[in-house]
Amino acid sequence: MIRRDPLGAAEQAATAEEIVATLRHDLRNCFGTIRNAAYFIQRKVAREQVCRDDPRVAQFIHVIDEEVIAASALVDEVVVGSRARPLRRTVSASALDCVRAAAACARIAEAGIRVDVDAADGVVELDPDELSLAVRCLVENAAEAMEGGGVVTLRGSVVGARYRIEVGDTGAGVPEAEIEAITRPFYTTKPGHLGLGLNIAGRVARRYLGTLTLGSGAPRGTRACIELPLAGAGSAPAAPGAGAAEPTP
């Protein structure tokens, strides 16, 4: 019997959102480069004999610029259309329930790895499936960082006006110089993986006025921390010691 993944729909939508956002960013950079190159050529050849002899040269340079503008607008239109997600529902949710759902749904293939959950409750305003997915991504990343088994620690606590979720592992850890790299979309050292887990977790946190930070674990490994405002608290500043290195959008 095939077991349905309760976070499958949220994961598909979040993955599509990350892919589209990355493509949009990269394409807009390419379009900007093309427009700058066309402008440079136009300035260089504007007074040349070739432009006086054949007015089509200037016309075609203008066509390049106009088509790039149109293509950029088309990309924006597609991205805006892709953002519609009827599955999203913002409600007053139990952070503890989301943490437990993430632990229960985590896909851990490595034998000898267990998830140790110790969390208090707190009420947050968000889509509970999205928060559960974000935490599951962090749990699965932590499990993948430990070869030969180990313990993933999953902690949830109320800190001031915010709810803090910490996921730690006992792996080799991530060198400070590589933290920026691992937050890039599609960066992964695991064959068959998209490398979007941290990006999805970071986007979900930011969507609900929260943060995702990464830092070294104690005494070893890596710690990922999501902080979100409690219901009715607004976007209170993050508590000290929440970590470092904000993932890129």
Side-chain angles (χ1 to χ4, degrees):
M1 179 178 178
I2 298 176
R3 177 171 172 263
R4 187 183 72 86
D5 183 353
L7 300 179
E11 182 177 34
Q12 290 178 0
T15 300
E17 187 175 30
E18 286 301 325
I19 291 173
V20 170
T22 301
L23 289 175
R24 175 181 180 268
H25 177 268
D26 291 346
L27 285 173
R28 286 178 67 87
N29 283 344
C30 291
F31 292 150
T33 300
I34 294 171
R35 290 197 71 192
N36 289 338
Y39 178 75
F40 177 81
I41 294 172
Q42 182 183 39
R43 291 287 302 273
K44 282 292 185 181
V45 304
R47 299 180 183 179
E48 298 295 328
Q49 186 66 40
V50 65
C51 281
R52 292 192 290 269
D53 292 343
D54 190 346
R56 292 177 302 175
V57 173
Q59 291 174 0
F60 284 139
I61 293 175
H62 181 68
V63 167
I64 292 172
D65 193 54
E66 289 293 311
E67 289 299 311
V68 169
I69 292 174
S72 182
L74 180 60
V75 168
D76 287 341
E77 181 181 337
V78 171
V79 171
V80 169
S82 72
R83 285 177 180 166
R85 181 180 181 266
L87 295 173
R88 183 171 296 137
R89 54 192 176 93
T90 301
V91 298
S92 294
S94 163
L96 175 59
D97 287 348
C98 295
V99 167
R100 287 173 173 168
C105 296
R107 298 163 299 192
I108 300 176
E110 182 80 23
I113 292 179
R114 65 181 177 87
V115 181
D116 180 29
V117 181
D118 182 9
D121 203 1
V123 179
V124 288
E125 293 281 347
L126 40 63
D127 183 325
D129 283 350
E130 287 199 318
L131 179 56
S132 297
L133 174 64
V135 178
R136 184 174 85 171
C137 287
L138 299 182
V139 170
E140 291 174 351
N141 274 8
E144 290 167 5
M146 298 184 295
E147 296 183 0
V151 179
V152 175
T153 56
L154 177 52
R155 303 288 181 257
S157 59
V158 174
V159 181
R162 298 172 75 81
Y163 192 85
R164 177 184 294 176
I165 300 170
E166 295 178 285
V167 180
D169 64 68
T170 55
V174 180
E176 193 71 25
E178 294 182 18
I179 286 183
E180 190 276 332
I182 67 173
T183 59
R184 295 176 194 156
F186 307 113
Y187 179 90
T188 180
T189 59
K190 302 288 185 180
H193 290 247
L194 283 176
L196 292 176
L198 288 176
N199 299 92
I200 290 173
R203 186 177 295 274
V204 169
R206 292 190 297 274
R207 176 171 292 132
Y208 299 107
L209 306 179
T211 59
L212 169 66
T213 54
L214 300 176
S216 298
R220 55 179 304 200
T222 303
R223 184 193 67 160
C225 177
I226 288 178
E227 286 202 4
L228 297 161
L230 292 169
S235 54
E246 177 79 18
T248 55

